Amino acid sequence: MTLPTDLDTDAGALRAVMVKGLADAVARSPIHPAWLTATEKVPRHAFVPGFYLPADHPDADGLTVWAPVTSKLDYGRWLAAAYSDTTLITQFDGEETDWEQPAVRHGGAPTSSSTLPSLVLRMWSDADVVEGNTVLEIGTGTGYSTALACERLGSSHVTSVEVDAVRLEGAADALYGCGYTPTLARADGLYGYWPEAWFDRIVATCSFRSVPPALLRQTRPGGKILLPLSGWLYGSARVLLTVAGDGTAEGPLLPGTISFMPARPHAAPAYGNPADWAAGLHEERSRSARHEPERLTAATEEAFHLRFLAQSAVPDAQMVSVDGVLHLIDVVSGSAATLTPEGGARSVREGGPLRLWSLIEQVIDSFDAAGRPGPQTYTLRVDGEGQRLLHAQMPRLRLPGGY
């Protein structure tokens, strides 16, 4: 692909504008200035030769229309997007795109991206990374975040693993082309990367249902792990753990409503047709809901946080709405529940070994009784007893796999 001869000049000017915008944001958030200095030097466009941007309106079926963007298709749009504080989707459903002849996509699940630069800087800064630290990054993706770490710490201090071989190859080409030479490996982030352990910091750019034990064992005593957590209800949180010499770890949930794509081994399984699950529920066993599902589904910070807490009570449940009826489906236990609008309330039907909505209502009851505390008031403790969310005024909640 032939690029304009003035690419470096154009990119430099746009990068300066982006960094200025990020600098203004720094005044309102705890991002270390050293990360801004690194951003001034890393050419983001080198890591995103092709990506997708959403159209303004969905298609006739309600699906998001994704337009491919490359320098060949639209040089100005490509470069402007590369230096915007925007997440750029680079892969859907684990399938690679032929960027020489890309096609418009309708719908699909994003499985790789270049995260918006402000969030990349926030993640590195929240992890309390300082000069001299050795770091493991889980999820190389395009390599842009890796490059920022190399720029600040030096390539010899950075290890990055990626489960997708094609993604890793593209990132490696971009990194080496820019002069960065971190340790790169195709590996499942669940298991860290033993050949380079121990690490002072581990930072994940994908989310996990629970803390992988291998990461604790690969972190130096006193070292820190910044990990996005999520579940099959799509409730998310971030935790900053400090690892003790005995292999236990503890740390607070961080504030905000930030979510990441799930690590592929932790992605939710297919649940099939919701109507098939609802067919086994008995109408005569229905009751009125004590809490409306909007407590979890509303576009608010509290609902985002409460959804994370709720999925700790029903870790294998998934949630989908069809024609106004909310379905909860647990493919592990075979349990299901529906919440159907009836007048001004909801009628609940539940079946299977677990009463899914009843368990969620118990979490909401405790949450309300505690005064609706925010994420930063919770501590995650990982030890021989499991992985537990602790709060002075709420019952303990356990993460999946943390028993």
Side-chain angles (χ1 to χ4, degrees):
M1 182 181 297
T2 302
L3 299 178
T5 55
D6 57 353
L7 172 60
D8 289 343
T9 300
D10 294 343
L14 288 172
R15 187 161 61 251
V17 172
M18 182 183 77
V19 172
K20 183 179 185 303
L22 294 173
D24 292 339
V26 165
R28 302 186 298 273
S29 61
I31 296 176
H32 196 287
W35 292 112
L36 283 175
T37 302
T39 309
E40 292 173 347
K41 299 176 182 178
V42 176
R44 190 186 186 204
H45 69 274
F47 297 87
V48 286
F51 49 84
Y52 289 94
L53 292 177
D56 293 333
H57 303 286
D59 65 13
D61 296 319
L63 299 175
T64 301
V65 179
W66 296 93
V69 180
T70 68
S71 64
K72 185 177 180 180
L73 290 172
D74 189 331
Y75 171 76
R77 189 184 189 196
W78 166 73
L79 199 59
Y83 288 104
S84 64
D85 192 27
T86 304
T87 293
L88 306 174
I89 306 300
T90 55
Q91 187 192 69
F92 287 90
D93 302 316
E95 302 171 355
E96 290 301 327
T97 297
D98 178 1
W99 291 110
E100 290 300 321
Q101 296 180 313
V104 172
R105 293 190 61 102
H106 293 253
T111 48
S112 190
S113 67
S114 177
T115 302
L116 66 161
S118 61
L119 179 50
V120 173
L121 300 188
R122 183 172 174 182
M123 288 291 288
W124 283 125
S125 197
D126 282 349
D128 194 24
V129 175
V130 297
E131 282 75 5
N133 282 167
T134 55
V135 302
L136 170 64
E137 176 189 45
I138 297 174
T140 313
T142 65
Y144 177 67
S145 175
T146 320
L148 291 172
C150 291
E151 183 64 47
R152 182 176 178 192
L153 303 175
S155 296
S156 64
H157 286 64
V158 179
T159 298
S160 185
V161 297
E162 169 63 48
V163 72
D164 187 313
V166 178
R167 297 282 91 199
L168 184 64
E169 181 179 4
D173 288 345
L175 286 162
Y176 298 155
C178 292
Y180 302 116
T181 57
T183 297
L184 300 175
R186 183 188 179 192
D188 187 335
L190 284 171
Y191 306 103
Y193 193 63
W194 284 105
E196 296 293 323
W198 290 343
F199 301 99
D200 297 304
R201 301 288 187 271
I202 295 180
V203 177
T205 62
C206 56
S207 64
F208 296 92
R209 298 179 72 205
S210 57
V211 181
L215 303 188
L216 300 181
R217 301 188 185 104
Q218 294 178 31
T219 305
R220 295 182 191 279
K224 298 181 180 182
I225 301 173
L226 180 60
L227 198 68
L229 299 170
S230 67
W232 295 347
L233 291 184
Y234 297 103
S236 300
R238 294 185 306 144
V239 64
L240 181 61
L241 294 169
T242 299
V243 179
D246 60 0
T248 64
E250 187 172 306
L253 299 187
L254 302 182
T257 55
I258 295 171
S259 61
F260 286 80
M261 296 174 191
R264 296 186 188 183
H266 281 194
Y271 51 75
N273 184 353
D276 293 338
W277 292 85
L281 304 178
H282 300 286
E283 187 66 39
E284 62 270 18
R285 298 179 185 173
S286 66
R287 64 172 177 85
S288 295
R290 291 191 297 104
H291 294 288
E292 292 297 303
E294 286 73 21
R295 291 293 304 273
L296 303 184
T297 60
T300 64
E301 289 193 18
E302 180 179 284
F304 186 91
H305 170 52
L306 187 53
R307 194 158 63 245
F308 175 74
L309 300 179
Q311 72 195 6
S312 298
V314 289
D316 301 317
Q318 298 182 64
M319 183 167 57
V320 62
S321 184
V322 180
D323 297 328
V325 178
L326 186 77
H327 298 255
L328 288 165
I329 299 166
D330 184 337
V331 301
V332 176
S333 71
S335 303
T338 61
L339 282 82
T340 305
E342 287 188 1
R346 293 264 184 167
S347 175
V348 179
R349 291 187 296 157
E350 298 173 296
L354 302 176
R355 296 296 184 257
L356 297 175
W357 189 248
S358 296
L359 289 169
I360 289 175
E361 286 183 323
Q362 290 175 21
V363 173
I364 297 175
D365 288 342
S366 298
F367 180 72
D368 289 345
R372 301 185 176 185
Q376 62 272 25
T377 65
Y378 293 78
T379 296
L380 179 62
R381 171 78 179 172
V382 183
D383 57 24
E385 296 183 32
Q387 302 188 17
R388 296 158 292 145
L389 279 174
L390 307 178
H391 190 278
Q393 297 172 278
M394 285 189 65
R396 293 178 178 179
L397 294 171
R398 294 181 180 270
L399 300 189
Y403 294 91

